[in-house]
Amino acid sequence: MSSVTDSLTVRDNRTGQEYEVPILDGAIKAADIGKIRSGEDEPGLAVYDPGFVNTASCRSSVTFIDGDKGILEYRGYPIEQLAEQSSFLEVAYLLVHGSLPSKDEYDQWVHNITYHTFVHENVKGFMEGFRYDAHPMGMLMASVGALSTFYPESRNISDADNRAIQIIRMIAKMPTLGAWSFRHAQGKPYVYPDNELSYTENFLSMLFKMSEPTYQADERIVKALDTLFILHADHEQNASANAVRAVGSTQVDPYSAVSAGIGALFGPLHGGANEAVLRMLKRIGNKSEIPAFIEGVKNGNERLMGFGHRVYKNYDPRAKIIKKACDDVFEVTGVNPLLEVAQELEKIALEDEYFVKRKLYPNVDFYSGLIYEALEFPPEMFTVLFAIGRTPGWLAQWLELTQDKEQKIARPKQIYTGSRGLTYTPTEQRWA
Ligand code: ACO
């Protein structure tokens, strides 16, 4: 880590003036660059960075990623260990609280989350009002946003106890809202939470239970889904965490901020990728079509969905763990025939110069869609599953933001490229 004494000497060739810019933690402050001006009345120099490719927006102690080495750690713990040995609710505690829970803390946490899974009946009422074919992500986004009206005190974000209860509510209710969004499209009655079941078992029960008194999920499926939730739980400043932070920076309630995160996750370049992967695999259909498809990708006609990552340029550590979860699930459900296409596609792409040169490797979404499909989820549900897993991460990022004195309302600069000082001509003259 750099010390405060490190600096950058910048010479402005427009004026010949030199500036000393401090380097701290491997970064310079954009505000220091803003002090560089070509004249007293000229604006300060700005940094142009669409997509924030090389701009740190915060200090964070939640998640560490080394994209070149393929390392992912939550609060310092490697993802491989957490996926293998922990549970989703323990990981959620770790992300939100910053350290692993004692037995008492864990029991209390699980108890609290279990007993907040129910939602107000009016939530059910408005969810029933969605069109029969409403996308479940749209339903989830809207219903999470609407929770702010059921808990108006959530606007008091400076109160620690108040923040804590909203966090518990949101982690608890997300599976209820996600499962109901799923049942809605099927025209099936919504299933109420069962407090006797674990978090993931209860979710499966709300998804699939019919007339049986208690839904019995296969243990291997429960473990695989729990692992998938862990793998998706946080990913530092990804597009949806950034959306949560940007909206949260206005000091709005956490339901509104997380609902913005769900919107960001919905997009096919982010959480929507696993849905897009599955559609792509179905379109390719069988192995013989792969070479033509790869040619299309290389010619820029389409993207190989589930490949490439803004941060991982070596491999995505989550993709490795998912492959193992794939095996466990297929043991129960039988092998998904698209697995063969996916494996062959991966093999060819990993050997092809186009992908090798650009450091494009399978990301977390390349295989997760296959698991979800084997579990009989329609593709529209895939991103909902991602959202449930990502909720503790969004909340940990939001919590950190609310306590970070350096944070301000997120409001980037622009480089204006439009016209100036035009004269408006009234419509009677323009349209005459
Ligand atoms: N298929 C084909 N070419 C690709 C792909 C891909 N999946 N991804 C990147 N490239 C190419 C780009 O065309 C570009 O080539 P060029 O240098 O010749 O122009 C080069 O690789 C660099 O790509 P960028 O788009 O600049 O990389 P960026 O970091 O902006 O994008 C992203 C990352 C959005 C994930 C991209 O790789 C992509 O679109 N992948 C497919 C969608 C996907 O799987 N998203 C899930 C991400 S993981 C997650 O959100 C959980």
Side-chain angles (χ1 to χ4, degrees):
M1 200 170 280
S2 317
S3 74
V4 197
T5 51
D6 284 343
S7 69
L8 197 71
T9 301
V10 179
R11 185 187 146 83
D12 185 344
N13 292 329
R14 298 170 301 180
T15 59
Q17 204 173 325
E18 283 196 355
Y19 298 81
E20 196 79 355
V21 181
I23 300 176
L24 189 60
D25 298 332
I28 57 168
K29 285 191 174 165
D32 287 334
I33 298 295
K35 291 176 192 158
I36 302 174
R37 293 168 189 272
S38 58
E40 244 175 52
D41 296 334
E42 294 303 315
L45 202 60
V47 179
Y48 180 57
D49 188 8
F52 310 124
V53 177
N54 193 29
T55 298
S57 63
C58 61
R59 293 173 184 282
S60 180
S61 63
V62 181
T63 289
F64 173 82
I65 298 176
D66 183 331
D68 291 328
K69 296 197 181 114
I71 296 173
L72 168 61
E73 294 172 358
Y74 297 157
R75 301 286 190 184
Y77 294 96
I79 190 67
E80 292 81 2
Q81 292 178 23
L82 295 172
E84 177 103 18
Q85 298 169 51
S86 185
S87 66
F88 176 62
L89 281 194
E90 191 186 33
V91 166
Y93 184 99
L94 173 69
L95 286 167
V96 169
H97 291 275
S99 58
L100 288 169
S102 65
K103 167 111 180 59
D104 285 352
E105 287 166 338
Y106 180 70
D107 290 345
Q108 188 63 50
W109 173 251
V110 171
H111 174 88
N112 285 343
I113 288 181
T114 307
Y115 283 85
H116 281 91
T117 46
F118 277 74
V119 293
H120 193 288
E121 273 298 287
N122 288 5
V123 172
K124 190 175 160 222
F126 75 70
M127 286 184 82
E128 281 167 348
F130 277 94
R131 241 179 74 149
Y132 66 96
D133 59 352
H135 196 294
M137 268 303 264
M139 288 182 69
L140 185 70
M141 178 163 53
S143 41
V144 169
L147 287 183
S148 70
T149 67
F150 290 84
Y151 306 108
E153 77 281 7
S154 63
R155 287 202 291 270
N156 185 9
I157 62 156
S158 54
D159 181 79
D161 292 342
N162 185 39
R163 288 194 302 254
I165 181 66
Q166 310 312 334
I167 286 174
I168 285 169
R169 280 186 178 135
M170 221 173 316
I171 296 174
K173 294 180 198 311
M174 202 62 89
T176 312
L177 300 174
W180 287 4
S181 308
F182 170 75
R183 303 280 292 203
H184 183 80
Q186 303 186 328
K188 289 183 182 155
Y190 298 178
V191 176
Y192 286 103
D194 182 341
N195 290 353
E196 298 305 310
L197 300 176
S198 74
Y199 187 84
T200 303
E201 281 171 334
N202 174 48
F203 177 52
L204 286 164
S205 161
M206 290 188 290
L207 288 164
F208 300 122
K209 184 171 179 288
M210 291 309 289
S211 61
E212 64 273 40
T214 303
Y215 179 79
Q216 294 277 333
D218 187 292
E219 262 176 43
R220 290 164 295 182
I221 302 281
V222 175
K223 172 68 187 141
L225 196 55
D226 206 72
T227 305
L228 282 162
F229 286 156
I230 293 174
L231 296 182
H232 286 92
D234 195 52
H235 214 233
E236 51 119 304
Q237 304 314 311
N238 57 88
S240 56
N242 183 58
V244 171
R245 279 182 174 264
V247 173
S249 77
T250 66
Q251 300 190 352
V252 74
D253 68 89
Y255 299 100
S256 303
V258 167
S259 153
I262 297 175
L265 190 70
F266 199 176
L269 294 190
H270 190 10
N274 51 15
E275 180 178 341
V277 168
L278 206 88
R279 294 193 197 285
M280 172 190 80
L281 292 176
K282 282 191 169 157
R283 193 156 47 87
I284 296 172
N286 64 63
K287 288 201 296 190
S288 61
E289 300 297 326
I290 292 177
F293 175 79
I294 294 273
E295 266 327 289
V297 172
K298 285 158 68 172
N299 293 336
N301 299 334
E302 49 194 328
R303 290 221 141 187
L304 173 50
M305 299 311 285
F307 258 65
H309 199 279
R310 172 61 61 79
V311 179
Y312 297 118
K313 300 298 176 195
N314 177 336
Y315 70 90
D316 181 339
R318 302 166 300 174
K320 275 196 172 171
I321 303 168
I322 283 212
K323 265 184 151 174
K324 156 92 180 61
C326 245
D327 295 341
D328 295 345
V329 168
F330 292 160
E331 210 181 281
V332 184
T333 62
V335 175
N336 187 328
L338 292 176
L339 179 66
E340 232 192 7
V341 179
Q343 283 173 332
E344 183 68 11
L345 197 55
E346 178 181 355
K347 192 168 147 265
I348 293 179
L350 291 180
E351 285 165 0
D352 192 295
E353 205 212 323
Y354 175 94
F355 299 92
V356 174
K357 209 172 97 198
R358 289 171 178 77
K359 300 190 169 177
L360 300 172
Y361 296 87
N363 59 47
V364 66
D365 284 326
F366 192 67
Y367 283 102
S368 61
L370 289 172
I371 300 186
Y372 297 148
E373 202 199 40
L375 297 178
E376 297 185 6
F377 287 111
E380 304 78 63
M381 266 305 280
F382 296 178
T383 324
V384 171
L385 299 166
F386 191 157
I388 294 171
R390 184 54 58 88
T391 300
W394 286 330
L395 292 166
Q397 300 284 345
W398 171 77
L399 197 59
E400 195 173 62
L401 165 89
T402 60
Q403 290 158 92
D404 182 348
K405 300 267 181 295
E406 288 187 351
Q407 285 299 318
K408 295 175 184 306
I409 185 167
R411 202 303 184 186
K413 267 185 174 275
Q414 65 167 9
I415 297 173
Y416 181 66
T417 59
S419 313
R420 293 279 322 277
L422 302 179
T423 303
Y424 179 79
T425 315
T427 50
E428 312 83 81
Q429 291 173 32
R430 268 184 297 131
W431 296 348

